[in-house]
Amino acid sequence: MPRSAEHICEFAGGLSESAGPLQTADAQAAAADERASANGNGAGPASAVAERPRTPAEERQGFPSISGSGGVDEYEGIQMQASQRTSGLLVRVRNMVKHFNTSKGVFKAVQGVDVDIEPSSICALLGPSGSGKTTLLRLIAGLEGVTDGRIYFDDLDATDLAVQDRQVGMVFQSYALFNHKTVAENVMFGLEVRKLDVDRRKRVEDLLELVQLTGLGDRYPRQLSGGQRQRVALARALASNPKLLLLDEPFGALDAVVRKQLRAGLKEIVQTVGVTTIIVTHDQEEAFDLADKVVIFNRGFIEQIGSPTEIIRRPATPFVMKFVGDTNDVPAASLLVRRSRFLTSKSRVMFRPSDIQLFTEFVESVDGHLVTGATVSERANLGWTVRYTLRFDDDVEVEYSVTREQADGRLGLDIGQRIYLYVKPEAMMGFEPEDIDSAPIL
Ligand SMILES: Nc1ncnc2c1ncn2[C@@H]1O[C@H](COP(=O)(O)OP(=O)(O)OP(=O)(O)O)[C@@H](O)[C@H]1O
């Protein structure tokens, strides 16, 4: 294998978590690390870096806090070098299909997906486990071959392009850094993948500055916190000036505080660099905070594509309604639905708890729709919120949440208390249980 191809393979494999031919290269990289450690070479040329246990504060360190509170050092914004800016790709996925042959038959992981990701935007792929998010990301990266469909990068049909020709940077959940290489060498490795004509030392310095790790180039990955290691992985992925950045649960292994810090840093970096970014995440808050466009997957299909606001305010399908945010789910024949005059041919109806209007005094109707009486049957104290269970006279129950402050004040309800509810019909959505099924399709 020519040296450059071997490097590409090692690079892609080193960043790949899942099974397949690339895993061999991943295993090789891990074995190389182990050999280096066993030979006492782990510290490498920069072994002068003092090794000491990291403090809890360092362990938690993500990006320095923007507000300056809680972070280790002050966030000073990103000093961008012109050479670090790129023009992101327009990514168009057309009728994408991916089937896997398994011992149980053909598994339909992606079933005819169309999506456009605008240049320099951030797109989040969100959905339940096994819905096809990572498979689509790997198809775009070229780590999987398509069963059917096309992928375009700007006007180029990239469907059959080799991984190394796609100008794609990748960061996965497991850090996949080379433990026997220093931070700077790890970032440099990203540069070697594509033979760019640049001052490499300067470029590495710039990238470390970009991810706020200036001065840590001589350290080894084991001397960094989890958040810092992911920042190295990000710098390495950006080293070759990719036009597309693919992130698969990049913060999945980190705690909530570090995740939030990294998220803020990532958003600023990718917007500043201008790289088109696709991120797979389980974390809805992360998706809605980061992304210009959110794609909701279920069972290999796309349920909805939209801005975070569109997805939250106008869920297109019962699945999205249920998946994003809290819902109450009641029979279509229940008292509440009938009195609200919501008409549906479906057997069940859902609505958001936040769409409940609650009265503690008797009210006959709101906007011409009858109000429904119920009794407070349970109270659950959930930290900052209090969740009440309200039971109608037909024994159908719904949940209603208020802040702890509200529950202790004006909106405090007693168990057994009679209350009156109204939900406007426009806030209701009819559905069948199979509409919200997320079991993968074999
Ligand atoms: N190489 C493979 N062979 C067989 N089945 C596969 C293969 N890769 C993925 N799958 C299956 O395809 C489905 C989609 O997987 P994928 O990893 O894309 O889901 P996901 O939405 O990213 O899930 P998660 O959030 O759990 O990572 C899963 O049920 C998975 O088991």
Side-chain angles (χ1 to χ4, degrees):
M1 190 186 287
R3 186 178 143 69
S4 58
E6 190 183 355
H7 263 199
I8 297 295
C9 211
E10 192 183 9
F11 177 58
L15 297 177
S16 164
E17 282 189 297
S18 35
L22 289 161
Q23 205 176 39
T24 317
D26 199 6
Q28 281 170 358
D33 267 345
E34 271 176 27
R35 279 197 303 276
S37 307
N39 294 338
N41 295 337
S47 56
V49 176
E51 270 223 53
R52 59 170 174 79
R54 278 173 282 123
T55 64
E58 285 171 326
E59 194 56 55
R60 294 175 68 83
Q61 187 185 11
F63 272 92
S65 139
I66 286 179
S67 65
S69 61
V72 174
D73 42 346
E74 290 288 321
Y75 184 85
E76 289 170 351
I78 294 164
Q79 309 299 314
M80 276 300 301
Q81 307 291 324
S83 63
Q84 286 173 271
R85 291 198 192 93
T86 187
S87 52
L89 286 174
L90 164 66
V91 179
R92 286 178 298 146
V93 175
R94 290 290 173 269
N95 190 30
M96 185 51 52
V97 176
K98 179 65 187 178
H99 293 169
F100 292 110
N101 290 317
T102 70
S103 56
K104 290 184 184 159
V106 174
F107 189 91
K108 297 170 182 168
V110 176
Q111 307 202 57
V113 159
D114 290 287
V115 61
D116 286 1
I117 299 144
E118 284 69 31
S120 305
S121 69
I122 303 180
C123 172
L125 308 184
L126 195 59
S129 189
S131 56
K133 308 177 296 287
T134 296
T135 302
L136 181 64
L137 202 75
R138 290 173 59 81
L139 288 163
I140 294 171
L143 296 170
E144 296 282 358
V146 310
T147 302
D148 200 4
R150 311 304 300 169
I151 298 165
Y152 300 94
F153 290 170
D154 292 333
D155 292 328
L156 177 75
D157 185 340
T159 318
D160 301 317
L161 272 188
V163 181
Q164 63 269 30
D165 295 330
R166 295 194 183 206
Q167 297 188 42
V168 168
M170 297 176 237
V171 178
F172 291 84
Q173 180 175 341
S174 63
Y175 313 115
L177 296 179
F178 296 101
N179 290 326
H180 63 289
K181 289 179 192 278
T182 63
V183 165
E185 287 164 353
N186 265 284
V187 177
M188 185 78 80
F189 184 78
L191 269 174
E192 285 165 5
V193 170
R194 273 179 69 210
K195 304 283 174 210
L196 289 184
D197 185 19
V198 291
D199 177 344
R200 291 167 168 228
R201 291 184 76 85
K202 175 82 174 70
R203 176 94 179 124
V204 169
E205 271 171 30
D206 287 348
L207 283 159
L208 290 180
E209 188 185 338
L210 186 70
V211 297
Q212 311 252 313
L213 288 177
T214 302
L216 299 189
D218 286 343
R219 287 216 193 162
Y220 285 86
R222 65 177 176 280
Q223 297 170 313
L224 301 178
S225 70
Q228 288 173 327
R229 272 180 280 193
Q230 275 311 60
R231 285 150 65 189
V232 177
L234 183 61
R236 184 174 67 179
L238 292 172
S240 62
N241 238 343
K243 288 174 170 293
L244 178 60
L245 181 65
L246 303 178
L247 309 169
D248 193 354
E249 293 279 356
F251 313 138
L254 306 171
D255 74 43
V257 175
V258 177
R259 280 180 86 108
K260 265 196 177 161
Q261 291 175 345
L262 281 173
R263 193 157 92 201
L266 173 73
K267 189 167 185 166
E268 191 170 2
I269 286 171
V270 298
Q271 283 174 346
T272 315
V273 172
V275 62
T276 305
T277 301
I278 308 177
I279 178 168
V280 167
T281 176
H282 274 109
D283 183 334
Q284 298 197 3
E285 193 182 298
E286 191 164 283
F288 292 127
D289 182 27
L290 272 178
D292 301 296
K293 178 183 269 185
V294 178
V295 181
I296 309 275
F297 269 79
N298 185 29
R299 311 174 110 202
F301 293 101
I302 290 178
E303 294 266 350
Q304 187 171 3
I305 301 177
S307 68
T309 309
E310 282 164 348
I311 302 272
I312 292 164
R313 295 242 174 98
R314 292 185 292 283
T317 66
F319 175 84
V320 177
M321 174 91 168
K322 187 87 182 172
F323 185 70
V324 178
D326 296 330
T327 51
N328 276 308
D329 167 353
V330 298
S334 64
L335 264 179
L336 174 73
V337 175
R338 283 188 283 127
R339 287 175 74 86
S340 297
R341 298 213 181 118
F342 176 69
L343 299 176
T344 177
S345 58
K346 308 282 184 168
S347 64
R348 302 202 63 88
V349 167
M350 61 182 145
F351 55 89
R352 303 242 180 259
S354 55
D355 282 319
I356 291 177
Q357 277 185 53
L358 186 144
F359 305 91
T360 48
E361 302 289 330
F362 176 73
V363 177
E364 176 75 32
S365 64
V366 175
D367 297 338
H369 300 286
L370 295 172
V371 168
T372 312
T375 306
V376 180
S377 61
E378 265 176 59
R379 169 183 164 135
N381 298 321
L382 309 171
W384 297 108
T385 58
V386 172
R387 190 181 62 213
Y388 293 105
T389 304
L390 312 174
R391 185 181 298 143
F392 295 98
D393 297 345
D394 58 359
D395 284 338
V396 168
E397 290 184 332
V398 295
E399 288 177 348
Y400 177 71
S401 297
V402 293
T403 63
R404 172 68 70 118
E405 206 176 12
Q406 289 171 323
D408 291 343
R410 197 168 54 84
L411 281 172
L413 301 174
D414 299 321
I415 303 292
Q417 182 179 341
R418 191 74 178 160
I419 38 91
Y420 304 89
L421 301 190
Y422 170 68
V423 181
K424 60 177 187 248
E426 304 84 76
M428 294 183 166
M429 185 183 270
F431 73 103
E432 297 297 343
E434 56 267 28
D435 296 339
I436 55 172
D437 193 353
S438 63
I441 298 171
L442 190 62

